[in-house]
């Protein structure tokens, strides 16, 4: 329990004197009242700040703040590194583009003949196609590697897949024209509906049989001595021929292509 020290005794009231006049002592001036009190607290009752039950929380928070700061610093550093790499990559591609001026190869169908489709019978057909594709690489310093694995070649009539095959592997150097001859065969169990047979007979009578050729080829670009990652070239050609027997004549053709960089 705190002990309180009270101020000194109050001075004597008016008319009262302390001291002994006979001994020559005069009364002392009354002590002025103190302006403060002194409180004494036992040592075992001194409290810490914070109290013991909150000390662990203070320690946890004091550790947590630096960790958050470190995480923010690491995240900012990571963003700075990514931004720097992106800028350098962009500058590199820009320089390479200005130096090499790359352009996509041009594709066209030079030959297209059909056999194995009998429209006078209701039995399944086994179509065969001989297709000649021309690829022109107009780049002066860029070569193209075509891979067989992962490639595909398909021929469609009104959305029906009649035959399929793969593209042979080859390398096309700069300023080069490569002609690829493909022999494609379909399954012997392709059953045409009566409506499709009738439509084909009408096209034969008009000598305009429309087919669609789809080619998918994994390629790698060679720039100097450096090879890029594998990209996918997709080529679609609309080809119209005059008949279903070989040799046939191409009436019209139109090709378009696209690249999947990743």
């Amino acid at each position: 329990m705190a002990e309180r020290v009270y101020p000194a005794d109050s001075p004597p009231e008016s008319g009262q004197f302390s001291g002994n006049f006979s001994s020559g002592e005069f009364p002392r001036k009354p002590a002025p009242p103190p302006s403060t009190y002194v409180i004494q607290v036992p040592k075992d009752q001194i409290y810490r700040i914070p109290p013991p039950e909150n000390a662990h929380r203070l320690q946890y928070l004091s550790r947590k703040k630096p960790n958050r700061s470190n995480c923010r610093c690491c995240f900012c550093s990571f963003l700075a590194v990514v931004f720097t790499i992106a800028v350098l990559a962009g500058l590199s591609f820009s320089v390479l583009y200005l130096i090499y001026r790359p352009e996509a190869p041009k594709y066209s169908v030079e030959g297209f003949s059909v056999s194995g489709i009998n429209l006078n019978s209701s039995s399944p057909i086994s179509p065969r196609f001989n297709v000649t594709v021309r690829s022109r690489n107009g780049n002066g310093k860029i070569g193209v590697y075509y891979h067989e694995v992962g490639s595909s070649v398909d021929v469609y009539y009104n959305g029906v897949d009649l035959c399929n095959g793969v593209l042979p592997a080859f390398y096309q150097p700069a300023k080069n024209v490569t002609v690829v001859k493909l022999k494609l065969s379909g399954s012997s169990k392709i059953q045409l509906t009566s409506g499709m047979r009738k439509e084909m007979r009408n096209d034969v009578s008009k000598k305009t049989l429309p087919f669609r050729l789809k080619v998918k080829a994994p390629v790698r670009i060679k720039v100097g001595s450096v090879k890029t990652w594998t990209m996918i070239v997709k080529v679609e050609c609309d080809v119209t021929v005059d008949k279903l027997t070989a040799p046939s004549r191409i009436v019209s053709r139109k090709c378009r292509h696209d690249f999947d960089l990743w």
Side-chain angles (χ1 to χ4, degrees):
M1 182 66 70
E3 296 180 2
R4 179 171 296 181
V5 178
Y6 294 92
D9 293 338
S10 301
E13 296 180 359
S14 177
Q16 294 182 352
F17 300 94
S18 60
N20 190 349
F21 285 101
S22 59
S23 61
E25 294 181 3
F26 294 94
R28 293 174 298 174
K29 286 185 178 182
S35 59
T36 58
Y37 290 94
V38 178
I39 301 176
Q40 295 181 352
V41 181
K43 184 178 180 180
D44 58 352
Q45 294 188 14
I46 296 177
Y47 294 100
R48 294 185 300 166
I49 299 177
E53 60 271 14
N54 293 334
H56 69 284
R57 180 172 179 79
L58 177 64
Q59 186 178 7
Y60 170 75
L61 294 176
S62 63
R63 289 198 308 265
K64 192 173 182 179
K65 289 180 180 178
N67 290 338
R68 287 182 177 177
S69 178
N70 292 337
C71 290
R72 285 195 295 268
C73 291
C74 292
F75 182 70
C76 292
S77 300
F78 174 75
L79 289 181
V81 171
V82 172
F83 178 76
T84 303
I85 293 175
V87 171
L88 293 177
L91 291 175
S92 300
F93 278 113
S94 300
V95 171
L96 290 175
Y97 179 82
L98 293 175
I99 294 175
Y100 294 101
R101 299 287 183 177
E103 63 179 49
K106 303 295 190 299
Y107 303 95
S108 61
V109 176
E110 300 299 317
F112 197 96
S113 63
V114 191
S115 61
I117 300 178
N118 185 3
L119 299 178
N120 298 319
S121 173
S122 60
S123 59
I125 63 173
S126 180
R128 294 179 300 276
F129 292 83
N130 291 329
V131 181
T132 303
V133 179
R134 180 177 182 267
S135 173
R136 184 178 68 85
N137 180 14
N139 294 284
K141 299 179 181 180
I142 298 176
V144 184
Y145 286 93
Y146 290 83
H147 299 283
E148 178 179 353
V149 178
S151 67
S152 63
V153 182
D154 296 89
V155 177
Y156 295 83
Y157 177 83
N158 282 355
V160 178
D161 192 353
L162 298 179
C163 67
N164 50 72
V166 295
L167 195 70
F170 65 95
Y171 172 69
Q172 185 174 23
K175 294 292 184 179
N176 173 265
V177 174
T178 301
V179 176
V180 180
K181 295 185 177 181
L182 304 171
K183 292 185 177 182
L184 310 174
S185 60
S187 171
S188 59
K189 298 181 180 180
I190 298 177
Q191 183 68 56
L192 298 179
T193 63
S194 58
M196 186 172 293
R197 290 178 183 274
K198 181 179 179 180
E199 188 174 356
M200 273 192 171
R201 283 194 290 267
N202 290 335
D203 291 337
V204 169
S205 65
K206 295 183 293 183
K207 296 185 177 182
T208 54
L209 287 155
F211 294 95
R212 175 165 291 182
L213 174 69
K214 290 186 177 182
V215 180
K216 184 180 75 171
V219 299
R220 295 181 67 185
I221 308 300
K222 182 182 178 183
V223 182
S225 60
V226 178
K227 296 180 183 179
T228 66
W229 61 93
T230 300
M231 297 176 283
I232 302 297
V233 176
K234 295 179 180 179
V235 181
E236 286 191 8
C237 297
D238 293 324
V239 183
T240 302
V241 295
D242 60 347
K243 55 185 178 181
L244 291 177
T245 57
S248 59
R249 182 177 63 89
I250 296 178
V251 178
S252 65
R253 54 196 161 188
K254 183 179 181 181
C255 293
R256 54 195 174 274
H257 63 271
D258 191 16
F259 275 85
D260 288 342
L261 298 179
W262 311 104

